[in-house]
Amino acid sequence: LTRKLGPAFAAGCTAVVKPASQTPFTAIALAELAYEAGLPPGVLSVVTGDAGAIGGVLTASPLIRKLSFTGSTGVGRKLAEQCAGTLKRVSMELGGAAPLIVFADADLDVAVPMSLRAIFGGNGQVCLSGSRLLVQNSIMEEFLDRFTAEARKLVVGDPKNASTFMGPLI
């Protein structure tokens, strides 16, 4: 959310945010912190509730000039169709199929642990999580041996516990 709001605010725009219905509290907390930090009143609005009804109002409004969406391809397609009537600009991050590519000249001492973080960090529930691992044939066997050995060492548990925390994803 911050990656989308920062540029909007820098360009002098206001924003209406409709977070996922299952997880609205982070967006609400972010708005509270932004206002606490001095964001002018009315610059950021968070609306929660029925996604279809709210999305329909937002996409139909001539006052809203751009829509940005991160989520499924199906919902993205529907939103793009709804935005066509008002010629709204759209930017979308859809499908969550982030490939991780490892070429033959990669430093495997770096590539293996970074691949583990990219794939397993955040339980794969982060939009940047790797969902496909593509390794050049000439190093595939060595990479796979090392990756598998390190993956077997992973411990499932509370990420606040030092024994289960993988470190930052980036």
Side-chain angles (χ1 to χ4, degrees):
L1 190 56
T2 56
R3 289 185 307 167
K4 294 180 181 202
L5 291 175
F9 294 158
C13 299
T14 59
V16 177
V17 175
K18 165 51 185 98
S21 299
Q22 305 88 334
T23 57
F25 297 117
T26 300
I28 293 168
L30 178 68
E32 288 178 6
L33 289 171
Y35 283 120
E36 193 176 302
L39 189 70
V43 172
L44 175 60
S45 300
V46 179
V47 293
T48 62
D50 180 74
I54 294 168
V57 170
L58 296 176
T59 56
S61 172
L63 300 175
I64 295 174
R65 297 185 315 194
K66 178 170 189 208
L67 181 126
S68 180
F69 174 73
T70 300
S72 74
T73 303
V75 172
R77 182 178 293 113
K78 182 175 182 177
L79 290 171
E81 288 171 359
Q82 292 174 342
C83 287
T86 55
L87 296 178
K88 222 176 275 333
R89 292 180 179 158
V90 297
S91 59
M92 302 193 181
E93 180 184 339
L94 306 175
L100 180 63
I101 303 171
V102 183
F103 290 108
D105 62 350
D107 179 346
L108 295 187
D109 291 334
V110 174
V112 169
M114 291 304 290
S115 298
L116 284 164
R117 282 193 176 101
I119 291 171
F120 294 110
N123 294 322
Q125 297 177 38
V126 178
C127 65
L128 299 174
S129 292
S131 58
R132 294 175 287 157
L133 183 57
L134 307 172
V135 181
Q136 199 160 357
N137 280 339
S138 62
I139 62 163
M140 185 168 45
E141 190 172 326
E142 181 183 359
F143 180 90
L144 187 57
D145 289 344
R146 291 171 70 169
F147 183 90
T148 303
E150 292 302 312
R152 286 191 171 124
K153 295 178 188 175
L154 294 176
V155 178
V156 177
D158 184 346
K160 291 179 248 163
N161 182 322
S163 71
T164 60
F165 180 61
M166 295 180 71
L169 293 179
I170 296 175

